[in-house]
Amino acid sequence: MQDAYRRAMDALYLACIGLAGASVVVITLVVPWGVFTRYVLNRGSAWPEPMAILLMVLFTFLGAAACYRANSHIAVDMIAGAMPPPIRRMLAILVDLLLAALSLFMVVYGLELCVTTWHQVIAEFPFLSTGITYLPLPLGSALTLLFIIERMWIGPPPHGSIVYNDSAIEKD
Amino acid sequence: MDALVLLGSLFALIAIGLPVAYALGAAALVGALWIDIPWEAVMLKISDGVRNFSLLAIPFFVLAGAIMAEGGMARRLVALANVFVGFIRGGLALVNILASSFFGCISGSSVADTSSIGSVMIPQMVRAGYPRVFATNVTIAGSVQAILIPPSHNAVIYSLAAGGTVSIAHLFLAGFLPGLLLGLSLIGLCIFIARRRGYPKGEPVPLRQALRVVVEAFYGLLTMVIILGGILSGVFTATESAAVACIYAFLVTMFVYRDYHWRELPKLIHRVVKTVAMVMILIGFASSFGYIMALMQLPAQVTAFFLTLSDNKYVILFLINIMLLVLGCLMDLAPLLLICTPILLPVVKSFGVDPVHFGMVMLVNLGIGLITPPVGATMFVGCAIGKVTIEQVTREIWPFYVAMLVVLGLVTYVPEISLFIPSLVKF
Amino acid sequence: QQKLVLKASDVHPLGYPTVEAIVRMGKKLEAATNGRLSIQMFPSMQLGGEKEMIEQAQIGALQIARISVGPVGTIVDELNVFNMPFVFRDSKHMEAVIDGEIGTELLAKISENPQTRLIALGWMNAGSRNVYNSKRPIRTTEDLKGLKIRMMGNPIFVDTMNALGGNGIAMGFNELYSAMQTGVVDGAENNPPTYIVQNHYQVAKYFSMTEHLIIPEIFVFSKRTWDTLSKEDQALLRKVSREAQTEQRELWYKMEEESVAKMKASGIEIITFADKKPFQDAVKPVWEKYGGKYSALVKRIQAVQ
Ligand code: NA
Ligand code: NA
């Protein structure tokens, strides 16, 4: 059971990084395309800017979920570090519980926000509901929640997990 | 009372070890509950906080810097610096600092600077007989230049935290002289130390070889020319320039330098995603926190409070600097920029301080925070790369602090250092 | 009785006509209810841009927001008719329309549509938009050829500029000043007060009174909060809102006059037109592309004297 869950989280993590990485690559191409159309085609395109922004929103919330699993968010662990080990363990559990509660809030109230704004469209893409553009927030929070459950239930990703599979090859 | 609830819950949550980003969001929810604002509004702000075209510059600059740094750029910049200062006494220390000045022209991250320049320079310095701790200190102090010399994604974050009213192009130009001043003061310090301790000097580089080194490094340094030239000549906006720089960095690395492998790219993207998402989510949560602060009219209250302390601009700037230095010890650069700018900018503005100038004061100040214990991202990375402990580094770093505090004082009290170059360009 | 502080928001700074009108409305509310109802104003985008303001009002995080028709037009499509170029003959015509039957009807459409979650309180003047640029005086559509002019990010506006002969560039307002300065774009279009307040007159010296767009603005109230108010309070709000609509108009004209005086004093070349027909003819393709569905409403607008 634990193994299956771990494997599922590995797959989810990979999906987060994959989608977020693809978003970065796409916006890196789309924005210069806007410059290109302005000069070479002599006619500004309206879509690259808003599209890049929407991809960035998606990128942020998926990427942030992945950051939780890879433990790469900025935190101040000075006070916890100064405590004796039992208290340190309790603080770690408290932090994860708080994060889980916050993520749950973000899923619930983020969805509420989607519902409120569902019937209006965004000006730049009249076919796209404003509600949809708010979906990455509850989605990313739900993923974070799954990763928190993994950490509390099974523990942090083991040594050699894909989350650490990003170190640069030593050169020179 | 409002302030106590909001800031109190923020500091409590950060203190128990909640990631700073999430602490900002949770404190915003507590604040919203306190002043009776629906929680969906906090969600709205978290999401809309990252929905900003100027912010795209952050992933672009980080990506461009990563491609350049990992595509063998660091080695070439070190070689270039060696041509200019390697033959002086204490040469390798000076090479280290000058290489960081060059590195600042392609990256805005002092952590990236420390990890790439440090991994080339520290082993080289140790081999040449420099103490490991000294080599590490030179590296981390020098790397602070990266956040001042354009391009700097932290300048973009400041512009955003200032409500988008401060021009990014202005901030970029303003960073030149403070960055240079910092580099020069560190070089001065290193020459002084090298003389006293009798550190070695290198050989002058033969002309032919020097020319080759300059040409190779030139392609990388062209990144900043593209970015600044593009912005100033009006070919593209700051955000667009960052995207173009990415593509340029990629083309140079892949087709000119050719010492980077395609199969390395997924890992590079993986790293960039983690770095950037961490910053972006911080910006999103900070924007919800700033929203609750605005609803509580906190910045106005803080301004009023500072005005009760003194009506002298110089005293107020001094107090703000002390406060930021203390906070900089405890927290990282980006969150502090996001939390403090909306509070402090109205204060200094009421004294007639230029927002661009104040941006430089904050960047130099919080840049020092990156290399102060107990929380200093650049110091941590430097220690890991230099294979020394934080205690060892801290014990010997104080001359570097002195040099940097002198720079901070100059940048704070001589606004022309920041504002001279922007004033040359007719904006 | 419990005090209720209504939060109001605007992207403009204190003293701007739209902001001042709401501030004055708050004073009247306070006087009429002995301080039970009041308005707290958050100016200068303190709470975010228009899109965010609307959504905050829908959620009930703020109560009063002054917005362009654009963002509401995404829910109540008829409002978009005001985005059409040269839909009004001039400002007086526009005022006659919004003060009359059509104006009331459109406000009701917003308030009665449950999906908007907003109550529309009244209209506000935003002047007419005119083309300005740094290159040359625009007298004919020919003069616009090859000029990159920043437009608001709605396809109708970009197409309007393209039809007028220029190159419409969609770009955020924040980046506009430095974009004009460096020449990323050659000009923009807006009303005289914005042209002055945003210092655009320092970088774009040729101002042509094209009046190609005259788009009134709306101030709305959060329906979530509205439903908690008593009938009497609702009626009171309606009454002071109507007064605010008139008051804002006077403030607007005063500011417009001052801006034009400042433009003249700063040596801006102001080009006026005796006949705008060539410009009106040029935007026919825009009407063909977007105007069809509004034809009945447009007929009624044109009939208003
Ligand atoms: Na830099
Ligand atoms: Na620090």
Side-chain angles (χ1 to χ4, degrees):
Chain A
M1 188 60 191
Q2 286 194 339
D3 279 354
Y5 193 78
R6 177 78 89 194
R7 273 197 304 278
M9 291 306 105
D10 272 344
L12 267 185
Y13 177 86
L14 216 57
C16 283
I17 293 288
L19 271 172
S23 303
V24 169
V25 173
V26 171
I27 54 180
T28 312
L29 297 174
V30 153
V31 171
W33 174 256
V35 180
F36 178 77
T37 55
R38 192 165 67 231
Y39 287 101
V40 183
L41 309 184
N42 210 3
R43 182 167 204 119
S45 326
W47 60 268
E49 180 175 325
M51 179 179 162
I53 293 174
L54 290 179
L55 283 175
M56 188 164 62
V57 174
L58 182 70
F59 163 89
T60 300
F61 290 103
L62 293 181
C67 278
Y68 169 80
R69 189 165 194 256
N71 204 13
S72 55
H73 282 299
I74 298 177
V76 176
D77 47 10
M78 199 163 70
I79 295 177
M83 298 286 166
I87 298 184
R88 213 184 305 166
R89 269 194 298 278
M90 269 168 54
L91 273 179
I93 293 173
L94 178 65
V95 163
D96 274 333
L97 282 175
L98 280 171
L99 271 178
L102 180 63
S103 301
L104 196 61
F105 272 130
M106 288 177 64
V107 172
V108 173
Y109 288 93
L111 284 175
E112 189 86 357
L113 176 64
C114 293
V115 171
T116 305
T117 54
W118 196 258
H119 294 288
Q120 58 220 47
V121 294
I122 58 171
E124 298 91 347
F125 297 115
F127 53 89
L128 207 58
S129 154
T130 308
I132 290 178
T133 66
Y134 283 118
L135 264 183
L137 184 141
L139 177 70
S141 307
L143 292 170
T144 310
L145 198 56
L146 292 176
F147 291 146
I148 295 171
I149 292 171
E150 180 198 14
R151 191 183 291 179
M152 296 193 78
W153 180 33
I154 317 174
H159 202 71
S161 156
I162 43 164
V163 303
Y164 311 117
N165 187 21
D166 67 338
S167 57
I169 283 184
E170 290 290 325
K171 303 217 306 202
D172 295 285
Chain B
M1 194 58 208
D2 286 357
L4 202 67
V5 169
L6 189 68
L7 296 174
S9 47
L10 175 68
F11 287 126
L13 289 167
I14 290 177
I16 62 168
L18 205 67
V20 178
Y22 292 88
L24 282 162
L29 286 179
V30 173
L33 191 66
W34 177 255
I35 58 169
D36 198 18
I37 293 291
W39 278 346
E40 294 101 296
V42 176
M43 299 304 136
L44 179 128
K45 275 291 166 177
I46 296 170
S47 187
D48 278 353
V50 289
R51 210 170 178 153
N52 183 324
F53 188 63
S54 318
L55 283 182
L56 282 170
I58 296 172
F60 294 155
F61 282 138
V62 172
L63 185 57
I67 294 173
M68 278 289 180
E70 291 166 25
M73 199 61 224
R75 185 165 50 77
R76 290 180 173 86
L77 293 180
V78 166
L80 179 67
N82 187 47
V83 169
F84 293 119
V85 292
F87 58 88
I88 304 171
R89 183 159 301 283
L92 283 184
L94 310 186
V95 167
N96 189 333
I97 289 163
L98 191 60
S100 279
S101 318
F102 294 143
F103 192 86
C105 300
I106 59 168
S107 160
S109 159
S110 111
V111 170
D113 183 312
T114 290
S115 60
S116 19
I117 300 289
S119 45
V120 180
M121 279 312 299
I122 296 176
Q124 207 171 323
M125 285 175 78
V126 170
R127 245 176 281 131
Y130 291 82
R132 200 167 264 283
V133 173
F134 176 76
T136 307
N137 277 333
V138 170
T139 306
I140 62 177
S143 76
V144 176
Q145 293 173 88
I147 62 170
L148 295 166
I149 295 172
S152 161
H153 61 262
N154 287 303
V156 178
I157 296 180
Y158 171 78
S159 156
L160 179 93
T165 51
V166 188
S167 143
I168 294 171
H170 268 163
L171 288 167
F172 277 8
L173 290 175
F176 255 122
L177 289 184
L180 225 60
L181 190 64
L182 179 60
L184 282 177
S185 72
L186 291 175
I187 283 182
L189 175 71
C190 285
I191 291 179
F192 176 74
I193 295 178
R195 291 254 163 99
R196 279 191 43 178
R197 301 189 190 161
Y199 288 146
K201 55 179 167 186
E203 295 295 314
V205 183
L207 187 65
R208 186 184 294 270
Q209 195 190 336
L211 277 177
R212 213 195 60 230
V213 165
V214 170
V215 168
E216 268 203 24
F218 173 75
Y219 288 107
L221 293 177
L222 210 57
T223 315
M224 187 179 68
V225 177
I226 291 177
I227 291 170
L228 280 184
I231 298 175
L232 295 178
S233 66
V235 178
F236 26 68
T237 63
T239 311
E240 290 167 349
S241 79
V244 173
C246 271
I247 294 193
Y248 173 77
F250 179 76
L251 294 178
V252 167
T253 305
M254 286 305 181
F255 301 110
V256 181
Y257 291 163
R258 299 197 200 189
D259 50 4
Y260 198 69
H261 293 290
W262 290 93
R263 62 184 157 77
E264 285 287 291
L265 274 178
K267 282 187 176 182
L268 183 135
I269 299 279
H270 187 171
R271 264 191 310 282
V272 168
V273 165
K274 283 207 261 183
T275 310
V276 177
M278 185 260 290
V279 173
M280 295 298 294
I281 197 74
L282 195 57
I283 290 172
F285 280 118
S287 122
S288 70
F289 186 81
Y291 171 66
I292 300 297
M293 274 204 305
L295 282 169
M296 291 175 168
Q297 305 206 307
L298 219 61
Q301 289 172 22
V302 172
T303 306
F305 169 73
F306 268 99
L307 289 175
T308 63
L309 292 181
S310 167
D311 54 5
N312 182 316
K313 174 165 113 180
Y314 303 103
V315 175
I316 293 293
L317 281 173
F318 182 78
L319 292 175
I320 286 179
N321 266 322
I322 298 291
M323 188 181 96
L324 286 176
L325 282 170
V326 171
L327 288 172
C329 287
L330 305 173
M331 266 169 84
D332 266 315
L333 172 63
L336 280 176
L337 269 183
L338 287 161
I339 297 170
C340 295
T341 306
I343 301 180
L344 295 178
L345 191 58
V347 178
V348 297
K349 261 186 170 169
S350 70
F351 286 98
V353 174
D354 189 293
V356 172
H357 169 214
F358 187 64
M360 291 307 122
V361 175
M362 285 194 81
L363 285 180
V364 174
N365 191 317
L366 300 178
I368 297 174
L370 286 171
I371 60 164
T372 54
V375 180
T378 304
M379 181 180 247
F380 294 167
V381 172
C383 290
I385 289 178
K387 302 192 177 69
V388 288
T389 66
I390 293 173
E391 289 72 30
Q392 288 173 306
V393 161
T394 311
R395 216 172 299 135
E396 291 187 30
I397 201 174
W398 62 267
F400 293 90
Y401 289 155
V402 172
M404 295 174 95
L405 287 175
V406 168
V407 174
L408 176 61
L410 286 170
V411 170
T412 305
Y413 291 117
V414 188
E416 287 76 17
I417 296 172
S418 310
L419 300 177
F420 176 64
I421 293 189
S423 76
L424 290 183
V425 183
K426 224 184 104 245
F427 268 99
Chain C
Q1 243 177 338
Q2 222 193 339
K3 283 192 173 185
L4 182 61
V5 180
L6 305 171
K7 296 189 182 69
S9 179
D10 199 316
V11 296
H12 296 298
L14 281 179
Y16 197 84
T18 54
V19 181
E20 180 63 22
I22 299 291
V23 169
R24 290 187 188 183
M25 179 172 137
K27 296 219 175 88
K28 279 187 205 160
L29 274 181
E30 246 178 292
T33 59
N34 284 323
R36 185 172 50 81
L37 289 183
S38 61
I39 290 179
Q40 185 184 20
M41 172 55 80
F42 293 89
S44 311
M45 291 221 267
Q46 278 176 20
L47 305 185
E50 287 196 357
K51 175 189 170 298
E52 288 172 84
M53 275 164 33
I54 267 203
E55 289 163 10
Q56 287 170 47
Q58 291 173 322
I59 292 168
L62 64 84
Q63 281 69 47
I64 300 172
R66 198 278 316 146
I67 46 178
S68 321
V69 300
V72 201
T74 62
I75 318 172
V76 180
D77 186 44
E78 285 95 327
L79 286 170
N80 286 324
V81 76
F82 292 156
N83 287 336
M84 298 301 291
F86 299 109
V87 64
F88 299 116
R89 293 186 295 274
D90 50 32
S91 300
K92 289 289 155 224
H93 179 210
M94 183 275 291
E95 284 166 9
V97 171
I98 59 173
D99 290 347
E101 200 178 273
I102 299 176
T104 316
E105 204 178 287
L106 286 173
L107 291 185
K109 278 215 164 115
I110 299 172
S111 308
E112 282 157 18
N113 185 337
Q115 292 180 348
T116 63
R117 297 171 192 244
L118 298 170
I119 299 291
L121 288 180
W123 298 96
M124 285 189 173
N125 275 38
S128 41
R129 299 177 76 93
N130 309 280
V131 177
Y132 48 87
N133 80 98
S134 56
K135 287 276 155 42
R136 53 180 175 258
I138 307 292
R139 296 200 167 81
T140 63
T141 53
E142 201 54 38
D143 294 330
L144 271 167
K145 284 256 145 55
L147 292 188
K148 293 195 277 287
I149 307 291
R150 180 265 176 182
M151 304 296 286
M152 294 181 284
N154 181 321
I156 298 183
F157 303 143
V158 176
D159 285 348
T160 295
M161 183 45 64
N162 292 338
L164 285 171
N167 297 324
I169 303 284
M171 174 183 279
F173 191 72
N174 279 347
E175 291 179 278
L176 178 54
Y177 182 82
S178 61
M180 281 198 291
Q181 206 163 36
T182 54
V184 172
V185 293
D186 302 307
E189 42 89 66
N190 221 312
N191 52 47
T194 307
Y195 177 66
I196 291 295
V197 170
Q198 298 292 330
N199 289 326
H200 290 177
Y201 71 103
Q202 292 171 354
V203 286
K205 301 253 174 245
Y206 304 102
F207 194 98
S208 299
M209 292 282 190
T210 47
E211 298 193 301
H212 53 283
L213 289 169
I214 304 178
I215 314 176
E217 294 174 342
I218 312 172
F219 57 112
V220 293
F221 200 90
S222 164
K223 188 156 192 312
R224 219 187 238 189
T225 313
W226 185 262
D227 291 342
T228 66
L229 298 176
S230 67
K231 283 274 169 304
E232 295 74 49
D233 284 349
Q234 291 180 351
L236 175 65
L237 271 164
R238 292 261 188 220
K239 175 175 161 285
V240 290
S241 297
R242 260 191 309 278
E243 291 165 15
Q245 178 167 329
T246 322
E247 207 161 351
Q248 189 270 347
R249 189 167 295 170
E250 285 154 21
L251 291 165
W252 178 265
Y253 279 123
K254 195 162 149 275
M255 186 165 189
E256 212 165 45
E257 261 168 44
E258 286 165 6
S259 306
V260 173
K262 173 119 197 238
M263 279 159 67
K264 285 181 179 149
S266 316
I268 299 303
E269 185 168 352
I270 303 174
I271 298 104
T272 52
F273 298 90
D275 178 18
K276 279 188 226 118
K277 189 144 190 320
F279 289 98
Q280 287 162 346
D281 288 344
V283 298
K284 285 237 166 77
V286 180
W287 276 91
E288 276 155 26
K289 188 167 169 190
Y290 301 99
K293 51 184 170 175
Y294 309 122
S295 54
L297 185 56
V298 169
K299 277 218 185 70
R300 286 176 61 204
I301 291 176
Q302 281 165 349
V304 173
Q305 286 309 310

